[in-house]
């Protein structure tokens, strides 16, 4: 298992795969509160857990989206992970199907909140594409 600086860099690399600039944004925001707090995200959440072998990043993001929909109280993180899922190969159709599937397990209100996040993620992705001339 990676440790120390190697684990931090592994976590940062995964975060950058999900959304360019994510590692710097998250680390900067958390460091304002506590110098060690960013490493909980880079080292533990992304480096040690998301960075494990056994599931590819696309599958992990699909699971993250489903889980965040069922929580029902993490809309900013849901939108982030929906964009991340699209960035690692999940199609819009697959993402929509995940949201719809959660109506069965988390209820229609959770599905409706998921649809709101889906629309926001797609809109932000399309806005970025138009800003960058179709490259995202």
């Amino acid at each position: 298992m990676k440790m120390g600086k190697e684990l931090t860099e592994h976590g940062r690399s995964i975060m950058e795969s999900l959304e360019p600039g994510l590692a710097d944004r998250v680390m900067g925001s958390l460091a304002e509160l506590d110098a060690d707090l960013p490493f909980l995200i880079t080292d533990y959440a992304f480096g040690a857990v998301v960075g494990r072998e056994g599931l590819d990043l696309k599958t992990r993001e699909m699971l993250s989206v489903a889980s965040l929909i069922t929580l029902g109280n993490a809309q900013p993180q849901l939108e982030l992970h929906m964009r991340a899922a699209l960035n690692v190969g999940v199609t819009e159709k697959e993402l929509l199907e995940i949201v719809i599937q959660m109506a069965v397990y988390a209820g229609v209100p959770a599905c409706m909140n998921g649809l709101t996040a889906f629309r926001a993620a797609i809109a932000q992705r399309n806005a970025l594409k138009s800003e960058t001339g179709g490259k995202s």
Side-chain angles (χ1 to χ4, degrees), residues 65-67 69-70 97-108 110-111:
V65 166
S67 181
I69 291 169
T70 64
E97 288 302 319
I98 293 166
V99 175
I100 294 167
Q101 179 80 14
M102 291 305 101
V104 174
Y105 297 98
V108 172
C111 175

Side-chain angles (χ1 to χ4, degrees), residues 5-28 38-39 41-48:
K5 190 170 186 152
E6 185 182 18
L7 183 61
T8 301
E9 289 307 313
H10 182 57
R12 286 181 59 88
S13 174
I14 292 168
M15 294 172 80
E16 290 304 306
S17 296
L18 298 176
E19 186 169 88
L22 179 61
D24 287 341
R25 286 196 318 272
V26 170
M27 289 188 78
F39 302 103
I41 303 301
T42 58
D43 295 21
Y44 174 68
F46 288 97

Side-chain angles (χ1 to χ4, degrees), residues 111-122:
C111 175
M112 298 304 288
N113 290 340
L115 291 172
T116 299
F118 174 79
R119 286 185 180 108
I122 298 301

Side-chain angles (χ1 to χ4, degrees), residues 72-120:
N73 61 359
Q75 204 73 2
Q77 292 81 10
L78 175 57
E79 289 179 26
L80 168 71
H81 282 280
M82 285 184 163
R83 291 190 313 269
L86 293 165
N87 289 337
V88 296
V90 176
T91 67
E92 288 184 22
K93 177 69 174 153
E94 288 171 326
L95 195 56
L96 180 58
E97 288 302 319
I98 293 166
V99 175
I100 294 167
Q101 179 80 14
M102 291 305 101
V104 174
Y105 297 98
V108 172
C111 175
M112 298 304 288
N113 290 340
L115 291 172
T116 299
F118 174 79
R119 286 185 180 108

